[in-house]
Amino acid sequence: MSVIKIENLTKRFKDEVTIFNNLNITFKEREIVGILGTSGCGKSTLLRVAAGLDTNYEGDIYVHEELHKGVHEKIGFIFQEARLMPWLNVEENVAFGVRGEARLKKADKMLSVVGLEGYNKYYPKALSGGMAQRVAIARALINSPEILLLDEPFSALDALTKMTLQELILDLWRTEKSSTIGIITHDIDEALYLCDRLIIFTKNEEEPVIEMNISIGRPRERGDLSLAKLKTRVIGLLGLEPEWQI
């Protein structure tokens, strides 16, 4: 069953450059979808359209089979940067936009979920990059979205922090209500480790979008030979093989 269905998406910018032309993409229930492509291919634009953050397009967006345009309460979004408000402390950042007297209690619960218990009263300037991104994840989860969309959320982090947050996302996918996840990444290893299916934007005009299923079970080993073989295929689809030889 699809949770987000994008039909006949056409997106043009003000200079009349067409980024998508009749694109059709589906995010299915209980899957993690990775979106890969070279810079400028429209990955972030696609995710912003799916999240309802960009409504200037042609085509139809369905959420749980219902036609929808604009921000949807069932969709949470995590940006590449944490985008925390420096004048608010951690729990206030997480609870921002949430109504009700129990908003801070809900925020504290989510901070515990992402491993930041005890940091409630800290301000963003006192946090590391990984901690700030955990706050952003808690903020996205506080309203229990059924769909979580992430736009290169770990690209600015060191390798060890990145792997820690990848495991956090998998744990949340298993245990929380965010049953469907879409993630943009430039990291092929990350995509193959996390995802059930890849949407790959290629440089091939005859086949600009290719979908690849990853049937390897979980938990996965990062050094799995099967993942390495898939990585070689993805590199080829992205047109990243070197044109020279040593």
Side-chain angles (χ1 to χ4, degrees), residues 19 36-43 186 199-210 233-243:
I19 192 76
L36 288 170
T38 55
S39 296
C41 71
K43 302 184 298 298
H186 278 107
I199 297 170
I200 303 170
F201 291 93
T202 76
K203 295 181 179 180
N204 186 343
E205 293 183 1
E206 295 182 359
E207 199 172 12
V209 181
I210 293 177
R233 183 183 172 197
V234 173
I235 289 172
L237 292 172
L238 291 171
L240 298 178
E241 304 103 324
E243 298 179 358

Side-chain angles (χ1 to χ4, degrees), residues 32-123:
I32 303 177
V33 180
I35 303 171
L36 288 170
T38 55
S39 296
C41 71
K43 302 184 298 298
S44 293
T45 299
L46 173 63
L47 215 65
R48 289 177 65 85
V49 167
L53 300 175
D54 184 341
T55 58
N56 184 23
Y57 60 84
E58 298 172 25
D60 296 317
I61 310 295
Y62 295 87
V63 179
H64 289 298
E65 307 296 334
E66 294 183 0
L67 185 64
H68 187 79
K69 194 163 189 173
V71 176
H72 198 289
E73 61 181 6
K74 293 183 179 180
I75 300 176
F77 195 93
I78 299 175
F79 295 92
Q80 184 173 348
E81 309 87 14
R83 299 193 180 187
L84 305 181
M85 287 161 280
W87 60 89
L88 299 180
N89 64 31
V90 164
E91 68 178 3
E92 290 168 339
N93 265 283
V94 174
F96 185 79
V98 179
R99 298 178 180 178
E101 295 181 0
R103 53 191 292 274
L104 293 183
K105 288 185 179 180
K106 290 178 66 176
D108 293 345
K109 178 182 177 181
M110 292 314 307
L111 287 170
S112 178
V113 168
V114 300
L116 285 179
E117 52 268 89
Y119 288 90
N120 314 49
K121 304 301 182 183
Y122 280 58
Y123 282 83

Side-chain angles (χ1 to χ4, degrees), residues 14-32:
K14 292 181 179 180
D15 54 6
E16 297 303 315
V17 172
T18 299
I19 192 76
F20 299 122
N21 188 25
N22 292 323
L23 178 68
N24 294 282
I25 295 290
T26 298
F27 294 82
K28 300 174 184 176
E29 190 173 27
R30 289 299 303 162
E31 72 170 351
I32 303 177

Side-chain angles (χ1 to χ4, degrees), residues 140-152:
L141 293 174
I142 193 168
N143 288 318
S144 301
E146 295 179 18
I147 305 157
L148 191 60
L149 302 178
L150 305 94
D151 187 358
E152 295 189 70

